[in-house]
Amino acid sequence: NFLPLPREDNVFPYIFCLCKNYINLCLNGDFMIQESIENYLETIYMLKLKKSNVRAVDVAEEMGYSKPTISVVIKKLKEQGLLSVESDGDIILSGEAVKIASHIYERHVFLTRMFVSLGVDKETAAEDACKLEHDISDETFERIKEHAKKVLE
């Protein structure tokens, strides 16, 4: 179910997918990445911001999934080179995974704050931000940030 990510020896310059479950994320070359992968990476990233040692059980608790489900996903993410797991179970995101996760996390935080500033309650704002953070283009997101700066000046 996961689309292979480009590696140095296996670069996919153009991948087109009309399926709504995939989005185009342009970081180091164009490739498609499944939204659910972004959610897992973002969750691990957010947990790492709170504490240094993050294990599969932490991800399972945060996301509300069973540990076996998370273990399967972590195995697939390891195979794609997006993370590694230390002998003590600590999950380490690769550099590419950190780029993906921080990209999504920035959008989540900004959009949530923006919605709250418009009068939306925190829970709804966070839920709506989570929906948009994956689908909004880089261009649109940058224009929203620029507009927000102008309004706040």
Side-chain angles (χ1 to χ4, degrees):
N1 289 354
F2 295 99
L3 207 59
L5 295 176
R7 301 187 190 277
E8 290 178 23
D9 60 338
N10 188 17
V11 177
F12 303 102
Y14 303 103
I15 298 175
F16 298 98
C17 182
L18 299 176
C19 179
K20 190 174 171 137
N21 292 332
Y22 293 90
I23 66 166
N24 189 14
L25 181 62
C26 302
L27 292 172
N28 292 335
D30 294 343
F31 61 91
M32 304 299 247
I33 186 165
Q34 195 171 14
E35 183 177 321
S36 63
I37 293 174
E38 288 180 340
N39 283 332
Y40 286 107
L41 296 177
E42 181 187 18
T43 298
I44 295 166
Y45 180 82
M46 290 183 336
L47 289 169
K48 284 283 192 185
L49 293 176
K50 296 177 189 174
K51 60 183 195 171
S52 60
N53 194 345
V54 175
R55 298 175 315 161
V57 67
D58 302 317
V59 179
E61 287 174 9
E62 182 71 23
M63 297 187 83
Y65 296 136
S66 69
K67 189 173 179 302
T69 297
I70 297 300
S71 295
V72 169
V73 171
I74 286 175
K75 181 181 178 204
K76 290 186 184 237
L77 294 174
K78 279 174 53 177
E79 289 169 0
Q80 293 185 3
L82 290 170
L83 57 80
S84 60
V85 180
E86 300 289 309
S87 59
D88 65 354
D90 186 26
I91 299 170
I92 308 296
L93 294 174
S94 71
E96 192 65 28
V98 169
K99 286 180 189 177
I100 294 166
S102 63
H103 181 83
I104 296 301
Y105 182 68
E106 175 197 9
R107 291 166 171 236
H108 182 88
V109 170
F110 177 84
L111 293 169
T112 300
R113 288 180 179 161
M114 184 184 75
F115 296 151
V116 168
S117 75
L118 295 171
V120 177
D121 72 85
K122 280 185 177 183
E123 186 176 321
T124 303
E127 288 172 7
D128 289 346
C130 194
K131 294 172 191 170
L132 287 175
E133 68 194 19
H134 303 282
D135 293 331
I136 193 169
S137 71
D138 288 342
E139 179 184 3
T140 299
F141 181 68
E142 290 303 317
R143 296 306 166 264
I144 290 170
K145 284 184 4 184
E146 289 171 11
H147 179 73
K149 276 184 181 179
K150 289 177 188 175
V151 170
L152 294 173
E153 288 177 354

